[in-house]
Amino acid sequence: MNLPEAFLSRMRTQLGETEFQAYLSAMARPARRALRVNTLKTDAAALFSLLRLPQEPCGVIPEGFFVPEGFAPGTQPLHAAGLFYMQEPSAQFPAALLGAQPGETVLDLCAAPGGKTGQLAAAMQNRGLLIANEVSPARSSVLCGTLERLGVQNALVTSMRPDALCPLLASRCDAVLVDAPCSGEAMFRRDPRALADWSEAHVLSCAERQRGILASAAEAVRPGGRLVYSTCAFSPEENEETVARFLQAHPEFSCQAQRRLYPHSSPGEGQFAALLLRKGGPAPAAAAPLRGPQRRAGAAQTEPPAALRRFFSETMRVPPAAQVRTLPDGRVFLLPERLPALLERMRVLRAGVLAGELRGARFVPAHGLFLAYPKSAFSAAAELEGAALSAFLAGEAIPCDPALSGYVAACVSGHPLGFGKAAGGTLKNHLPKGLRIR
Ligand code: SAM
């Protein structure tokens, strides 16, 4: 690999000759791939037994494991069912450092494609409120897809600039993650674009942008709350210097921990993360709560409509406990535990689980509803394997038990990966086109 001369010279100065040589040796080896077990749906023992792979822990978080060369997640039905997320080991560190807890209000400010958001939701056990923000509209739709597949129920997905969103959340968040856009110096083995885009000028412009994002993030943190700042870059300008300038401008914060991971000294590609604590304030349980969903005339309806109640009683053994909100366009959401008071001023893409859509007197369920709940929540399920599973994943109608009728959860190894509508011994396929595997 041809690393830029100026980058190498900076790394030599930063690391010293011996460590620099260790870094170069690490970079000469191929990157190893890893996954994070999605504990919202399974555990490591069950997943690896289904994958028929040995468990090889990465050693960063208990849910992180290396996968063998040639492992192809895109063709794995268990991936489609959301049982794991491909995430390189050092990228698993920042969300773990934030220590999100069930019931908290957590903001993930730079969230797409959603690897760390999924990890935060798992730590929160789907309880509390997880605001997942991504400024880029294209990337925010990828974020929605990730959260849907992983079965995340407690996320409010927004697409806003940090300086517009954070004032609306003023001092309300228990914990905020800023996984900032950066020069990507730790991604050189995996992302040729990061390598091609690198220059010293790019490092400095990233640092400037990061300072702005971090300053906005500070506004959202409640007194006594936590803020994690992370990058996948090695430059001091984007890391220690950004944190130092932040602390100078925000004396109400202190740095609790700061860590660099390098490919020669830790598993994975490398990462920087700092844990900052906002001084003062109440203990977590006494923090001011965000208010419940606002009722606004003509905007949205919170009572479950009759068609939805009928669908729940016919299709779900355990109807969702979440509050329902129907939007004027007919989309029905199952809301997270609580929503911010200033919701109407936010650019919200998704609030909780998109359950489906009301079309006149009918309710048509959405793919995400079947990914958000376990097989046991549904009245009817079809276990698929072999040719039937491949055909279903390819989007085809498949034969099913003639006794089945109506909406049926399509499952692999006991986990829903979509749904179909059964009639006369055929399961009509409802897998979204973009998710089909041929
Ligand atoms: N946390 C993500 C994950 O684990 O999947 C990765 C986030 S990536 C390192 C940084 C994100 O910041 C990108 O999705 C990018 O679109 C977004 N971004 C770029 N410019 C931004 C800005 N000015 N403010 C906020 N976010 C920005």
Side-chain angles (χ1 to χ4, degrees), residues 22 56 59 98 126-127 131 177 231 249 287 318 363 376 382 385 393 431:
E56 193 189 340
L98 191 65
N126 255 338
R127 285 162 39 211
I131 302 158
L177 175 63
T231 73
V318 188
F363 174 75
S376 57
E385 53 185 20
L393 285 170
L431 203 61

Side-chain angles (χ1 to χ4, degrees), residues 105-374:
T105 296
V106 177
L107 167 64
D108 185 358
L109 191 55
C110 310
K116 296 178 190 73
T117 319
Q119 194 179 343
L120 293 170
M124 297 169 78
Q125 298 169 18
N126 255 338
R127 285 162 39 211
L129 178 65
L130 175 54
I131 302 158
N133 180 67
E134 169 54 46
V135 71
S136 147
R139 289 175 64 85
S140 54
S141 72
V142 177
L143 171 64
C144 287
T146 301
L147 301 187
E148 186 167 275
R149 185 175 65 77
L150 296 178
V152 173
Q153 298 170 8
N154 65 336
L156 179 76
V157 181
T158 58
S159 182
M160 294 175 71
R161 288 169 46 122
D163 59 357
L165 174 63
C166 295
L168 301 178
L169 299 170
S171 300
R172 297 289 190 179
C173 297
D174 298 295
V176 175
L177 175 63
V178 176
D179 187 33
C182 68
S183 64
E185 290 168 338
M187 287 295 116
F188 286 168
R189 272 198 301 198
R190 293 161 46 102
D191 182 0
R193 231 185 25 210
L195 190 54
D197 287 350
W198 191 89
S199 68
E200 285 181 307
H202 183 48
V203 166
L204 298 182
S205 80
C206 287
E208 192 181 337
R209 180 165 61 169
Q210 289 152 356
R211 290 198 289 273
I213 297 173
L214 195 51
S216 296
E219 288 192 62
V221 183
R222 70 163 172 83
R226 291 105 62 207
L227 171 60
V228 163
Y229 171 75
S230 66
T231 73
C232 56
F234 298 127
S235 70
E237 292 91 334
E238 295 179 77
N239 297 319
E240 288 86 351
E241 286 177 24
T242 298
V243 170
R245 283 185 188 225
F246 172 80
L247 291 173
Q248 248 172 19
H250 296 84
E252 73 277 22
F253 281 85
S254 66
C255 183
Q256 297 294 295
Q258 190 162 274
R259 212 170 139 197
R260 269 174 178 271
L261 308 181
Y262 284 111
H264 57 276
S265 55
S266 309
E269 302 306 289
Q271 193 85 33
F272 170 87
L275 172 63
L276 311 167
L277 189 69
R278 184 166 171 192
K279 296 168 193 163
L290 293 165
R291 255 178 276 146
Q294 309 294 290
R295 246 177 224 272
R296 284 184 303 124
Q301 186 186 327
T302 52
E303 294 309 316
L308 181 64
R309 288 202 304 272
R310 202 165 49 244
F311 168 85
F312 281 159
S313 76
E314 287 168 5
T315 312
M316 299 195 72
R317 220 173 256 156
V318 188
Q323 197 173 359
V324 170
R325 182 176 285 201
T326 307
L327 299 189
D329 65 7
R331 281 178 305 153
V332 176
F333 288 90
L334 305 175
L335 300 179
E337 272 171 28
R338 52 181 189 269
L339 291 173
L342 297 172
L343 194 62
E344 68 278 6
R345 285 169 55 190
M346 294 181 188
R347 184 158 186 271
V348 175
L349 302 184
R350 189 158 296 197
V353 175
L354 173 62
E357 204 179 318
L358 284 170
R359 292 191 194 146
R362 279 187 320 132
F363 174 75
V364 180
H367 176 73
L369 179 69
F370 287 82
L371 272 284
Y373 295 95

Side-chain angles (χ1 to χ4, degrees), residues 33-99:
R33 298 167 74 223
L35 60 74
R36 182 183 61 76
V37 179
N38 181 14
T39 54
L40 290 175
K41 296 196 179 206
T42 189
D43 58 38
L47 175 66
F48 281 91
S49 141
L50 290 173
L51 289 172
R52 298 207 176 92
L53 290 176
Q55 291 182 35
E56 193 189 340
C58 301
V60 177
I61 59 167
E63 304 82 32
F65 294 86
F66 286 115
V67 291
E69 198 57 34
F71 179 75
T75 59
Q76 272 287 343
L78 298 174
H79 184 262
L83 268 57
F84 62 92
Y85 183 87
M86 296 302 293
Q87 191 178 36
E88 70 93 10
S90 47
Q92 299 168 3
F93 178 65
L97 185 63
L98 191 65

